[in-house]
Amino acid sequence: MNAIILTGSIATGKSTVASLLKLYGYTIISADEVAHKLLEKYSNEIKDMFGTSERKELGKIVFNNESKRKQLESFLHPKIKQEILKESEKLEEYGVPYFLDIPLYFETGNYNEFKNVVVVYTPKDIQIQRLAKRNNISLDEAKKLVNLQIDIEEKKDKANYIIDNSKDLKHLQKEVEKFINQLKS
């Protein structure tokens, strides 16, 4: 009831927004952090499936092979969701808004019980430039990574709230403050 999905796409600034929300005192449940714990917990099973459980190596395998990516997702996503739901139940007792940082919210279609969605939005061209710079990769590689996810414009259309991150950090802070004020009213 009090959960708000925080999502976006790669290099839209979702992690920065999550950090800002934490500074305002909000609790964030991060699907990525849950996934990292589960990768450790199930490292033997993952190693049996893919020959490695090391995150960077695993990333290379699933990035280049859609069936391997789907195999990993079908193994991990239900476990991630179970953990998120468990943590959400605890937070619901407090009766205050909290955030579920789920990068692949729209892609998985796994969290339909949560209705409030805020999308951190950056136009696709800026997204690609930021990703190339951040990951020190070519624009072509960045574009391929961005295209693995649902288009940011489509996510923007499906959101209840939008936080615009098309400019600088000062602008983003104002956008987050505006969003928090909307939330309070």
Side-chain angles (χ1 to χ4, degrees), residues 18-84:
S19 297
L20 290 169
L21 290 168
K22 278 183 193 174
L23 289 174
Y24 281 98
Y26 289 96
T27 301
I28 312 284
I29 298 172
S30 166
D32 283 347
E33 287 175 19
V34 170
H36 294 175
K37 287 179 198 167
L38 292 173
L39 278 172
E40 277 182 41
K41 183 177 180 179
Y42 295 101
S43 64
N44 291 336
E45 292 93 327
I46 291 168
K47 195 172 187 174
D48 288 345
M49 282 189 260
F50 300 98
T52 183
S53 62
E54 199 274 309
R55 275 191 16 231
K56 279 192 174 171
E57 291 301 311
L58 205 52
K60 288 177 189 171
I61 292 167
V62 300
F63 174 66
N64 293 312
N65 185 323
E66 189 177 346
S67 68
K68 293 281 187 194
R69 187 173 77 243
K70 287 186 189 299
Q71 182 184 2
L72 181 64
E73 287 172 354
S74 66
F75 178 77
L76 277 182
H77 283 280
K79 292 169 177 51
I80 293 168
K81 182 176 181 180
Q82 184 179 15
E83 193 62 34
I84 286 173

Side-chain angles (χ1 to χ4, degrees), residues 153-170:
E153 297 299 331
E154 188 178 330
K155 291 179 182 186
K156 181 181 170 188
D157 290 342
K158 292 179 178 183
N160 302 87
Y161 307 97
I162 296 157
I163 295 176
D164 177 67
N165 186 20
S166 60
K167 298 180 181 127
D168 59 11
L169 185 58
K170 190 169 246 168

